[in-house]
Coordinates of all heavy atoms in Angstrom, one line a residue:
A118 N 318.3 112.2 213.5 CA 319.1 113.4 213.8 C 320.5 113.0 214.0 O 321.5 113.8 213.7 CB 318.5 114.1 215.0
L119 N 320.8 111.9 214.6 CA 322.1 111.4 214.9 C 322.8 110.9 213.7 O 324.1 110.8 213.6 CB 322.1 110.3 216.0 CG 321.6 110.7 217.4 CD1 321.4 109.5 218.2 CD2 322.5 111.7 218.0
L120 N 322.1 110.6 212.6 CA 322.6 110.1 211.4 C 322.6 111.1 210.2 O 322.9 110.8 209.1 CB 321.9 108.8 210.9 CG 322.0 107.6 211.9 CD1 321.1 106.5 211.4 CD2 323.4 107.2 212.1
D121 N 322.2 112.4 210.6 CA 322.1 113.4 209.6 C 323.5 113.7 209.0 O 324.5 113.9 209.7 CB 321.6 114.7 210.2 CG 321.6 115.9 209.3 OD1 320.7 115.9 208.4 OD2 322.5 116.7 209.3
P122 N 323.7 113.7 207.7 CA 325.0 113.9 207.1 C 325.7 115.2 207.5 O 326.9 115.2 207.7 CB 324.7 114.0 205.6 CG 323.4 113.2 205.4 CD 322.6 113.5 206.6
G123 N 325.0 116.3 207.7 CA 325.6 117.5 208.2 C 326.1 117.3 209.6 O 327.2 117.8 209.9
Y124 N 325.4 116.7 210.4 CA 325.8 116.5 211.8 C 327.0 115.6 211.8 O 328.0 115.9 212.5 CB 324.7 115.8 212.6 CG 325.1 115.4 214.0 CD1 325.3 116.4 215.0 CD2 325.3 114.1 214.4 CE1 325.6 116.1 216.3 CE2 325.7 113.8 215.7 CZ 325.9 114.8 216.6 OH 326.2 114.4 217.9
L125 N 327.0 114.5 211.0 CA 328.2 113.6 211.0 C 329.4 114.3 210.5 O 330.6 114.1 211.0 CB 327.9 112.4 210.2 CG 326.7 111.5 210.7 CD1 326.4 110.4 209.7 CD2 327.1 110.9 212.0
A126 N 329.3 115.2 209.5 CA 330.4 115.9 208.9 C 331.0 116.8 210.0 O 332.2 117.0 210.1 CB 330.0 116.7 207.7
A127 N 330.1 117.4 210.8 CA 330.6 118.3 211.8 C 331.3 117.6 212.9 O 332.3 118.0 213.5 CB 329.4 119.1 212.4
R128 N 330.8 116.4 213.2 CA 331.5 115.5 214.2 C 332.9 115.1 213.7 O 333.9 115.1 214.4 CB 330.6 114.3 214.6 CG 329.3 114.6 215.3 CD 329.5 115.2 216.6 NE 329.5 114.1 217.7 CZ 329.9 114.3 218.9 NH1 330.3 115.5 219.3 NH2 329.8 113.3 219.8
A129 N 332.9 114.8 212.4 CA 334.2 114.3 211.8 C 335.2 115.5 211.9 O 336.4 115.2 212.1 CB 334.0 113.9 210.4
A130 N 334.8 116.7 211.8 CA 335.7 117.9 211.8 C 336.3 118.1 213.1 O 337.3 118.8 213.2 CB 334.9 119.1 211.3
T131 N 335.8 117.5 214.2 CA 336.3 117.7 215.5 C 337.5 116.7 215.8 O 338.2 116.9 216.8 CB 335.3 117.4 216.6 OG1 334.9 116.1 216.6 CG2 334.0 118.3 216.4
I132 N 337.8 115.8 214.9 CA 338.8 114.8 215.1 C 340.2 115.5 214.9 O 340.4 116.0 213.8 CB 338.7 113.6 214.2 CG1 337.4 112.8 214.6 CG2 339.9 112.6 214.4 CD1 337.1 111.6 213.7
D133 N 341.0 115.4 215.9 CA 342.4 116.0 215.7 C 343.3 114.8 215.2 O 343.4 113.8 215.9 CB 342.9 116.5 217.1 CG 344.3 117.1 217.0 OD1 345.0 116.9 216.1 OD2 344.6 117.9 218.0
R134 N 343.9 115.0 214.1 CA 344.7 113.9 213.5 C 346.0 113.7 214.3 O 346.6 112.6 214.1 CB 345.1 114.3 212.0 CG 344.1 113.8 210.9 CD 342.7 114.0 211.2 NE 341.9 113.7 210.0 CZ 340.6 114.1 209.9 NH1 340.0 114.7 210.9 NH2 339.9 113.8 208.8
Q135 N 346.4 114.6 215.1 CA 347.7 114.6 215.8 C 347.5 114.2 217.3 O 348.6 114.1 218.0 CB 348.4 115.9 215.7 CG 348.6 116.3 214.2 CD 349.4 115.3 213.4 OE1 350.3 114.7 213.9 NE2 348.9 115.1 212.2
A136 N 346.3 114.1 217.8 CA 346.2 113.8 219.2 C 344.9 113.1 219.6 O 343.8 113.3 218.9 CB 346.2 115.1 220.0
A137 N 345.0 112.2 220.5 CA 343.8 111.5 221.0 C 342.9 112.5 221.8 O 343.3 113.3 222.5 CB 344.2 110.3 222.0
G138 N 341.6 112.3 221.6 CA 340.6 113.2 222.2 C 339.9 112.5 223.4 O 340.0 111.3 223.6
D139 N 339.1 113.2 224.1 CA 338.3 112.7 225.2 C 336.9 113.4 225.2 O 336.7 114.3 225.9 CB 339.0 112.9 226.6 CG 338.2 112.3 227.7 OD1 337.2 111.6 227.5 OD2 338.6 112.6 228.9
P140 N 336.0 112.8 224.4 CA 334.7 113.5 224.3 C 333.8 113.2 225.5 O 332.8 113.9 225.7 CB 334.0 112.8 223.1 CG 334.7 111.5 223.0 CD 336.1 111.7 223.5
G141 N 334.2 112.3 226.4 CA 333.5 112.0 227.6 C 332.3 111.1 227.4 O 331.4 111.4 226.7
Y142 N 332.4 109.9 228.0 CA 331.2 109.0 228.0 C 331.5 108.0 229.1 O 332.6 107.8 229.6 CB 331.1 108.3 226.6 CG 332.4 107.6 226.2 CD1 332.7 106.3 226.5 CD2 333.3 108.4 225.4 CE1 333.9 105.8 226.1 CE2 334.5 107.8 225.0 CZ 334.7 106.5 225.3 OH 335.9 105.9 224.9
G143 N 330.4 107.3 229.5 CA 330.5 106.2 230.5 C 331.1 105.0 229.9 O 331.3 104.9 228.7
V144 N 331.4 104.0 230.8 CA 331.9 102.7 230.4 C 330.9 101.6 230.6 O 330.7 101.3 231.8 CB 333.3 102.5 231.1 CG1 333.9 101.1 230.6 CG2 334.2 103.6 230.9
P145 N 330.3 101.0 229.6 CA 329.4 99.9 229.8 C 330.1 98.7 230.4 O 331.3 98.5 230.3 CB 328.9 99.6 228.4 CG 329.4 100.7 227.6 CD 330.5 101.3 228.2
R146 N 329.3 97.8 231.0 CA 329.9 96.6 231.5 C 330.3 95.6 230.4 O 329.7 95.7 229.3 CB 328.9 95.9 232.5 CG 328.5 96.7 233.7 CD 327.5 95.9 234.5 NE 327.2 96.6 235.8 CZ 326.1 97.3 235.9 NH1 325.3 97.5 234.9 NH2 325.8 97.9 237.0
P147 N 331.2 94.7 230.6 CA 331.4 93.7 229.6 C 330.2 92.8 229.5 O 329.3 92.8 230.3 CB 332.6 92.9 230.2 CG 332.5 93.1 231.7 CD 332.0 94.5 231.8
G148 N 330.2 91.9 228.5 CA 329.0 91.1 228.2 C 329.4 89.7 227.7 O 330.5 89.4 227.3
G149 N 328.4 88.8 227.6 CA 328.5 87.5 226.9 C 327.4 87.3 226.0 O 326.2 87.5 226.3
T150 N 327.7 86.9 224.8 CA 326.7 86.8 223.7 C 327.0 85.8 222.7 O 328.2 85.4 222.6 CB 326.6 88.2 223.0 OG1 326.4 89.2 223.9 CG2 325.6 88.3 221.9
V151 N 326.0 85.3 221.9 CA 326.3 84.4 220.8 C 325.7 85.0 219.5 O 324.7 85.7 219.6 CB 325.8 83.0 221.0 CG1 326.4 82.3 222.2 CG2 324.2 83.0 221.2
Y152 N 326.4 84.7 218.4 CA 325.9 85.3 217.1 C 325.9 84.2 216.1 O 326.8 83.3 216.1 CB 326.9 86.4 216.7 CG 326.6 86.9 215.3 CD1 325.5 87.9 215.1 CD2 327.2 86.5 214.2 CE1 325.2 88.3 213.8 CE2 326.9 86.9 212.9 CZ 325.9 87.8 212.7 OH 325.6 88.2 211.5
V153 N 324.9 84.2 215.2 CA 324.8 83.3 214.1 C 324.6 84.0 212.8 O 323.8 85.0 212.7 CB 323.6 82.3 214.3 CG1 323.6 81.3 213.1 CG2 323.7 81.6 215.6
T154 N 325.3 83.7 211.7 CA 324.9 84.1 210.4 C 324.7 82.9 209.5 O 325.4 81.9 209.7 CB 326.0 85.0 209.8 OG1 325.5 85.4 208.5 CG2 327.4 84.4 209.6
A155 N 323.7 83.0 208.7 CA 323.4 81.9 207.8 C 323.0 82.4 206.4 O 322.3 83.5 206.4 CB 322.3 80.9 208.3
A156 N 323.3 81.8 205.3 CA 322.9 82.2 204.0 C 322.6 81.0 203.2 O 323.3 80.0 203.3 CB 324.0 83.1 203.4
D157 N 321.6 81.1 202.3 CA 321.3 79.9 201.4 C 321.4 80.2 200.0 O 321.5 81.4 199.5 CB 319.9 79.3 201.8 CG 318.8 80.2 201.6 OD1 318.8 81.0 200.6 OD2 317.8 80.2 202.4
A158 N 321.3 79.2 199.2 CA 321.4 79.3 197.7 C 320.3 80.1 197.1 O 320.5 80.5 195.9 CB 321.5 77.9 197.1
Q159 N 319.2 80.3 197.7 CA 318.1 81.1 197.2 C 318.2 82.6 197.5 O 317.4 83.4 197.1 CB 316.8 80.6 197.8 CG 316.3 79.2 197.2 CD 317.2 78.1 197.7 OE1 317.4 78.0 198.9 NE2 317.6 77.2 196.8
G160 N 319.3 83.0 198.1 CA 319.6 84.4 198.3 C 319.2 84.9 199.7 O 319.3 86.1 199.9
R161 N 318.7 84.1 200.6 CA 318.3 84.6 201.9 C 319.6 84.7 202.8 O 320.5 83.8 202.7 CB 317.4 83.6 202.6 CG 316.1 83.4 201.8 CD 315.2 82.4 202.6 NE 314.1 81.9 201.7 CZ 314.2 80.8 200.9 NH1 315.3 80.2 200.8 NH2 313.2 80.5 200.2

């Protein structure tokens, strides 16, 4: 439902090109993480 094209189009229509908005949401804590990407010659 959150990825429905009609819903996303409606959300996009709320963006004001001339002013920053405030839809309201909380602020998560910062974090620490590690990430790895790997790819091989066989296409994995």
Side-chain angles (χ1 to χ4, degrees):
L119 297 172
L120 298 177
D121 177 78
Y124 175 73
L125 295 172
R128 295 293 267 170
T131 68
I132 295 177
D133 185 339
R134 271 44 172 192
Q135 303 303 318
D139 180 9
Y142 52 88
V144 180
R146 297 181 178 95
T150 303
V151 296
Y152 174 82
V153 182
T154 181
D157 63 36
Q159 288 70 47
R161 302 177 194 89

